[in-house]
Amino acid sequence: MKNSLIVQKYGGTSVGTLDRIEHVADRISKIRKTGADIVVVVSAMAGETDKLLKMARSLAKNPARREVDLLLSSGERISAALLTIALQARGIPALSLTGRQIGLETDSTHTRARIKSIDCRRARKMLNENHVIVVAGFQGINPEGDVTTLGRGGSDTSAVALAVALGAKQCEIYTDVDGVYTSDPRMVPQARRLDVVSYDEMLEMASLGAKVLQIRCVEFAHKYKMPLIVKSSFKEGDKGTLICEEDPNMEQPVVSGIMCDKNQAKITLKEVPDQPGIAANIFEPLAAASISVDMIIQNVSEQGHTDMSFTLAREELDEAMVIMNKVAKKIHATHVSADAKIAKISIVGAGMRSHSGVAAEIFKTLSANKINILMISTSEIKVSCIIEQKNSKLAVNALHDAFKMADKPVKKKTARKVKAV
Ligand code: ASP
Ligand code: MG
C-alpha cells in the first residue's frame, strides 16, 4: 500500500440514524481528501441488535446460536451498506464487505466466536484500486462456512483485528462518549477524561464494567501492541483517549480510574465445618452451572467451624442460592444468606506498581466517611472493596477527591540529553 492507512470504527449511536450516517460519510470524505487509505468498520444501528435478539427470543426461549448469529450479523450489514451508499452518493469509490468477504475467520463458538485469522488479500486489492472499504463489524465465518459473531460489542474487536492485519499504525474507535473517564461522570461530576490509559488499566476497567470497549478488543490490541484511540464522532478535533503501552517517560498518576459495580451480590455460608474439600464442595457445583465467582473470603476457624462468603453477578444470585441451599445441607453449614444490596468499588492504576500506601489511603478515606468495608481484594494494579450499596456514590466521590483524580498529572520533565563524546 502506498498511502498511510486509517482504520476507523463507528459504533451504533454514530450510525444510529440516516442523518448520522450522512455525518459519518461527510467525515470520511474529508479524510479521503488527505489521500489516506481508509477502512471503516461499523456496528449495527443503535438498538438494532437488541431488536433482532428480542424477535428471536419471542419465537423460541433458547433460539439456536447458529441461527442467532446469522440473524444478528444482518444488523451490521445494513449499516455497512447504507454508509457505502452514502459515500458513493458523494462520489467516493466505496465498497461494503461482510465478515466473510473481508476474510475474517473465527472458531465455531457461535455468538462469541474468537478470531483466528484474516485473509486480507481482497481488502489490499480494493485499497490499491483506491476504494474506501466499509466492513460489517462483529462477524466472521467459521471453518464450516457458517456466519459467526464475536460477542456483544464485537465490532470493536473486528476493527482492531483489521488494523493489525492490514498493518495500520493505530485504530480509531468512534463512539458516543469522548473518551475514557476517571469515573462514571453520571456518578462523579468531577470525573475527568483521561488523555492516556495503558492496556493493563483499560483491561481492568473493561472487565469492571466500563462499557466503552469490548474486553477482547483491548486484549487483542494489547497482544499486538496496536494503539487505540477512543473519541466521539460528534465532536470535531477532539483528542479522545489514547490506549497504549505504558510510557516510562510519562509521569504515571497513581490511580487512573475508579469503578463502581452495583450488579453484585454476596452469599455467606455460616458455620461450615473447617475440613479439607469444603471449598471444592461449595465452588464445584457453581462452576458446573457456569456461575463465576468473584471475591472469596474464608474467616478464621473457631472450634472447627468457619464462615465462607463470596460475591457473584446479581443476575446469577437466585440460581446460586438454589445450589447453595443444597450444598449447605450436604456439608452441614448452619445457615445460608444472600445480600444483593452491595457494591464493588475498584480503584485501578498502573502507578500502584511503584507506589505503596494506595490501599491504606482507600481504607482511611472510607473510614473518614464512616463507610464499612465488607470485603477486600487486591491485585497488582487494582484494589476492590465491597461496601453497602447505599454508600457507593459517597465512596466513589470521596476516593476521587482523595486521589486528586480531577487534576491532570504533570508531565515529567525529560532529562536533557547529553551527547557522549
Ligand atoms: N451490534 C453488536 C452489539 O450490539 C456489536 C457491536 O455493536 O459492536 O453488540
Ligand atoms: Mg460498543
Side-chain angles (χ1 to χ4, degrees):
M1 268 172 291
K2 49 193 187 320
N3 306 323
S4 67
L5 171 68
I6 293 179
V7 176
Q8 301 190 320
K9 181 247 162 179
Y10 289 91
T13 36
S14 306
V15 293
T17 61
L18 291 179
D19 278 350
R20 288 182 176 177
I21 289 179
E22 300 247 32
H23 174 69
V24 171
D26 287 338
R27 293 183 69 115
I28 295 169
S29 68
K30 259 192 219 156
I31 304 169
R32 171 88 180 168
K33 292 198 179 104
T34 67
D37 284 335
I38 307 168
V39 175
V40 184
V41 178
V42 285
S43 278
M45 295 168 83
E48 185 69 17
T49 311
D50 287 332
K51 195 178 92 192
L52 293 168
L53 255 183
K54 212 168 145 202
M55 284 164 81
R57 287 185 181 145
S58 72
L59 295 172
K61 202 167 155 236
N62 272 320
R65 288 173 185 265
R66 179 185 180 276
E67 310 312 320
V68 169
D69 272 353
L70 183 63
L71 176 72
L72 297 192
S73 70
S74 65
E76 270 68 12
R77 291 168 189 227
I78 292 172
S79 40
L82 288 174
L83 177 58
T84 308
I85 291 167
L87 288 167
Q88 290 170 349
R90 285 161 177 73
I92 297 171
L95 287 171
S96 61
L97 293 176
T98 65
R100 179 201 301 272
Q101 290 170 317
I102 196 80
L104 195 152
E105 285 190 21
T106 70
D107 64 15
S108 289
T109 327
H110 282 291
T111 72
R112 43 171 192 274
R114 281 185 176 268
I115 298 175
K116 291 207 311 201
S117 64
I118 304 185
D119 177 353
C120 288
R121 276 173 297 184
R122 183 153 183 208
R124 287 221 169 81
K125 186 165 171 277
M126 284 167 56
L127 289 173
N128 283 334
E129 289 164 2
N130 223 11
H131 284 100
V132 170
I133 305 177
V134 183
V135 181
F138 176 53
Q139 57 191 277
I141 202 92
N142 69 13
E144 290 78 46
D146 290 333
V147 173
T148 51
T149 63
L150 308 177
R152 296 305 306 265
S155 301
D156 293 344
T157 308
S158 308
V160 177
L162 271 168
V164 170
L166 290 165
K169 283 207 186 76
Q170 61 187 41
C171 179
E172 299 168 11
I173 310 265
Y174 286 92
T175 167
D176 51 354
V177 291
D178 60 359
V180 180
Y181 276 69
T182 50
S183 199
D184 184 345
R186 283 166 303 184
M187 205 174 183
V188 183
Q190 302 290 319
R192 175 178 62 84
R193 194 194 67 212
L194 293 156
D195 289 337
V196 188
V197 182
S198 70
Y199 293 123
D200 286 337
E201 290 171 325
M202 195 62 233
L203 268 178
E204 289 283 9
M205 292 192 214
S207 45
L208 289 166
K211 296 266 171 350
V212 65
L213 288 170
Q214 200 199 28
I215 298 177
R216 273 202 198 154
C217 147
V218 187
E219 283 170 353
F220 213 101
H222 190 188
K223 184 166 171 195
Y224 293 98
K225 311 241 177 308
M226 173 59 63
L228 298 175
I229 296 174
V230 177
K231 291 189 204 189
S232 159
S233 59
F234 306 112
K235 285 192 184 171
E236 289 299 327
D238 202 44
K239 261 178 70 191
T241 299
L242 170 68
I243 298 145
C244 62
E245 286 260 81
E246 265 163 60
D247 177 354
N249 294 319
M250 282 283 288
E251 179 67 82
Q252 273 290 338
V254 182
V255 296
S256 291
I258 300 188
M259 314 285 300
C260 174
D261 180 359
K262 292 185 188 162
N263 290 314
Q264 293 265 317
K266 179 166 76 98
I267 294 182
T268 302
L269 285 104
K270 283 247 164 71
E271 290 183 63
V272 183
D274 192 9
Q275 294 161 359
I278 287 298
N281 267 307
I282 295 174
F283 296 110
E284 261 172 11
L286 291 172
S290 299
I291 295 175
S292 308
V293 168
D294 184 14
M295 293 191 202
I296 301 175
I297 284 190
Q298 182 181 342
N299 280 353
V300 179
S301 116
E302 263 178 49
Q303 288 151 1
H305 284 80
T306 182
D307 294 344
M308 186 85 100
S309 295
F310 59 90
T311 59
L312 70 172
R314 170 118 37 88
E315 71 242 27
E316 299 187 321
L317 178 62
D318 291 346
E319 199 186 339
M321 278 302 276
V322 173
I323 299 173
M324 279 308 107
N325 280 316
K326 280 188 204 146
V327 168
K329 271 200 194 115
K330 187 174 155 202
I331 61 173
H332 307 294
T334 56
H335 189 68
V336 187
S337 62
D339 183 357
K341 293 200 178 105
I342 57 163
K344 179 165 84 169
I345 309 291
S346 303
I347 312 262
V348 175
M352 284 185 207
R353 288 198 188 104
S354 49
H355 282 78
S356 52
V358 174
E361 179 72 29
I362 294 173
F363 306 150
K364 194 178 93 188
T365 307
L366 293 178
S367 117
N369 286 278
K370 306 210 167 6
I371 297 169
N372 192 26
I373 303 173
L374 308 175
M375 285 170 136
I376 301 165
S377 83
T378 62
S379 78
E380 204 187 2
I381 64 162
K382 181 184 75 180
V383 178
S384 297
C385 296
I386 299 285
I387 60 169
E388 283 179 74
Q389 200 177 96
K390 62 171 198 243
N391 291 327
S392 38
K393 192 165 180 182
L394 173 63
V396 174
N397 280 284
L399 291 165
H400 200 272
D401 285 349
F403 286 101
K404 300 192 172 46
M405 297 179 73
D407 307 339
K408 271 197 177 205
V410 253
K411 266 189 197 158
K412 233 185 218 171
K413 282 197 191 92
T414 31
R416 230 181 304 146
K417 278 188 194 137
V418 184
K419 218 174 168 186
V421 247

